[in-house]
Amino acid sequence: MANKRNDTEVFINNKKYTLSGFESEEYLQKVAAYINTKISELKTLDSYRNLDNDMRTILLEINLADDYFKVKRRFDDSENDSDSKSSEIYQLKHEIMSLNNKLEKTNKEIEKLREDIVEEQKKNVKLETELNAERERRIPERGTKK
Amino acid sequence: MANKRNDTEVFINNKKYTLSGFESEEYLQKVAAYINTKISELKTLDSYRNLDNDMRTILLEINLADDYFKVKRRFDDSENDSDSKSSEIYQLKHEIMSLNNKLEKTNKEIEKLREDIVEEQKKNVKLETELNAERERRIPERGTKK
């Protein structure tokens, strides 16, 4: 809706009407075109052509209301669908958070295990050094015994 | 829509109409009630009460069509929203897959590192055993020298 009230000429069922309101001319022409399409659709039906004007008007109104209810139903379905998707997104984000936490823990564990390995390897080097020293000490002693 | 064509009496703007069609009576009464609500709303407006019947009818039709376009717009927005959510769900699922892969890799790495630690510890035990054996061998030799 615009702020300025304006007059718009539309043709509905080949009759000219001047509508005064806040809606844009573009929108009102779209609405008029839609109503004319519904009238054209009804005019293809024998059952409609045989009716008096009053009954034709009522049938048009019912058809317009029917379109409203049909799209309203699709809208409600779409909203329900959108709500389910929101819940799914919430759950998926929760799962991602949980996986990231697990991953952080495992990465810390890997870091810790790598440190542990380095410690064990240091111990190994120390023990090998000690062992070599012991062996070197023993060999000359044997040598002296020969 | 049911399969059986049936006649339904409805009151629209206080006039009785017999509608023949496949829609259920319940649905047609809902449609009639909705049209009557729109008429009641229009009747509260001075600008409507001063109009002739033809213009009143056109205004009602425009109001019905306006309701249709409004809900149609909300439906389109909801569908767009639903589409964005579907894309988000797709991305989140992809992220979960990727995180699960990473987690699997890190868990395998943890397993491998634990095996490596056991290997290093075995080496340590072996070296300690060898070192102790060397020391024990050396001590008696020294002893005999005393």
Side-chain angles (χ1 to χ4, degrees), chain B residues 37-112:
Chain B
T37 303
K38 299 307 291 182
I39 295 171
S40 302
E41 280 170 16
L42 287 171
K43 278 183 180 170
T44 63
L45 307 173
D46 287 335
S47 53
Y48 176 83
R49 283 197 301 267
N50 297 333
L51 298 172
D52 63 26
N53 271 337
D54 185 33
M55 198 60 198
R56 282 184 182 187
T57 298
I58 289 295
L59 266 195
L60 173 61
E61 288 168 9
I62 285 171
N63 268 273
L64 294 172
D66 183 41
D67 272 10
Y68 164 76
F69 279 111
K70 276 180 188 152
V71 78
K72 175 76 168 58
R73 193 175 178 167
R74 291 175 72 197
F75 168 67
D76 291 341
D77 288 347
S78 181
E79 285 289 281
N80 284 337
D81 185 47
S82 197
D83 286 349
S84 318
K85 282 178 183 166
S86 292
S87 307
E88 195 177 349
I89 287 171
Y90 177 81
Q91 285 172 347
L92 291 172
K93 281 183 175 172
H94 189 80
E95 197 176 335
I96 286 174
M97 241 169 58
S98 152
L99 284 171
N100 272 321
N101 281 342
K102 274 188 198 167
L103 201 59
E104 205 188 326
K105 272 186 199 164
T106 51
N107 280 329
K108 274 186 189 160
E109 194 173 349
I110 285 173
E111 216 177 299
K112 172 75 174 60

Side-chain angles (χ1 to χ4, degrees), chain A residues 18-39:
Chain A
T18 303
L19 304 171
S20 176
F22 296 103
E23 307 283 354
S24 71
E25 160 142 23
E26 189 193 357
Y27 179 69
L28 288 173
Q29 295 299 350
K30 186 170 102 168
V31 169
Y34 161 69
I35 294 169
N36 285 324
T37 304
K38 298 308 290 182
I39 294 170

Side-chain angles (χ1 to χ4, degrees), chain B residues 123-143:
Chain B
K123 260 193 227 169
N124 276 336
V125 169
K126 192 170 166 278
L127 286 168
E128 267 170 7
T129 311
E130 282 176 37
L131 186 61
N132 287 335
E134 283 294 331
R135 279 176 180 159
E136 264 167 37
R137 247 182 247 173
R138 194 156 60 79
I139 292 157
E141 274 169 12
R142 272 190 189 155

Side-chain angles (χ1 to χ4, degrees), chain A residues 12 15 17-19 27 30-31 34-35 54-55 57-58 60-62 64-69 71-72 74-75 78-79 81-82 85-86 88-89 92-93 95-96 99-100 102-103 106-107 109-110 113-114 116-117 120-121 123-124 127-128 130-131 134-135 137-138 141, chain B residues 12 15 17-19 27 30-31 34-35 54-55 57-58 60-62 64-69 71-72 74-75 78-79 81-82 85-86 88-89 92-93 95-96 99-100 102-103 106-107 109-110 113-114 116-117 120-121 123-124 127-128 130-131 134-135 137-138 141:
Chain A
I12 291 174
K15 267 182 77 175
Y17 297 94
T18 303
L19 304 171
Y27 179 69
K30 186 170 102 168
V31 169
Y34 161 69
I35 294 169
D54 186 33
M55 199 59 197
T57 299
I58 288 296
L60 173 62
E61 288 168 9
I62 285 170
L64 294 171
D66 183 40
D67 272 10
Y68 163 77
F69 279 111
V71 78
K72 176 76 168 61
R74 291 176 72 199
F75 168 67
S78 181
E79 284 289 280
D81 185 45
S82 196
K85 282 177 183 167
S86 292
E88 195 178 349
I89 286 171
L92 291 172
K93 282 185 175 170
E95 198 177 334
I96 286 174
L99 284 170
N100 272 322
K102 274 188 199 168
L103 201 58
T106 51
N107 280 329
E109 195 174 347
I110 285 174
L113 286 169
R114 281 183 179 150
D116 289 352
I117 285 184
E120 293 298 329
Q121 285 169 339
K123 259 193 229 169
N124 275 336
L127 286 169
E128 269 171 5
E130 282 176 37
L131 186 61
E134 284 295 330
R135 279 174 180 159
R137 247 181 247 174
R138 195 157 59 79
E141 275 167 13
Chain B
I12 291 173
K15 268 182 77 175
Y17 298 93
T18 303
L19 304 171
Y27 179 69
K30 187 169 101 168
V31 169
Y34 161 69
I35 294 170
D54 185 33
M55 198 60 198
T57 298
I58 289 295
L60 173 61
E61 288 168 9
I62 285 171
L64 294 172
D66 183 41
D67 272 10
Y68 164 76
F69 279 111
V71 78
K72 175 76 168 58
R74 291 175 72 197
F75 168 67
S78 181
E79 285 289 281
D81 185 47
S82 197
K85 282 178 183 166
S86 292
E88 195 177 349
I89 287 171
L92 291 172
K93 281 183 175 172
E95 197 176 335
I96 286 174
L99 284 171
N100 272 321
K102 274 188 198 167
L103 201 59
T106 51
N107 280 329
E109 194 173 349
I110 285 173
L113 286 169
R114 281 185 182 149
D116 289 351
I117 285 183
E120 294 297 331
Q121 285 169 338
K123 260 193 227 169
N124 276 336
L127 286 168
E128 267 170 7
E130 282 176 37
L131 186 61
E134 283 294 331
R135 279 176 180 159
R137 247 182 247 173
R138 194 156 60 79
E141 274 169 12

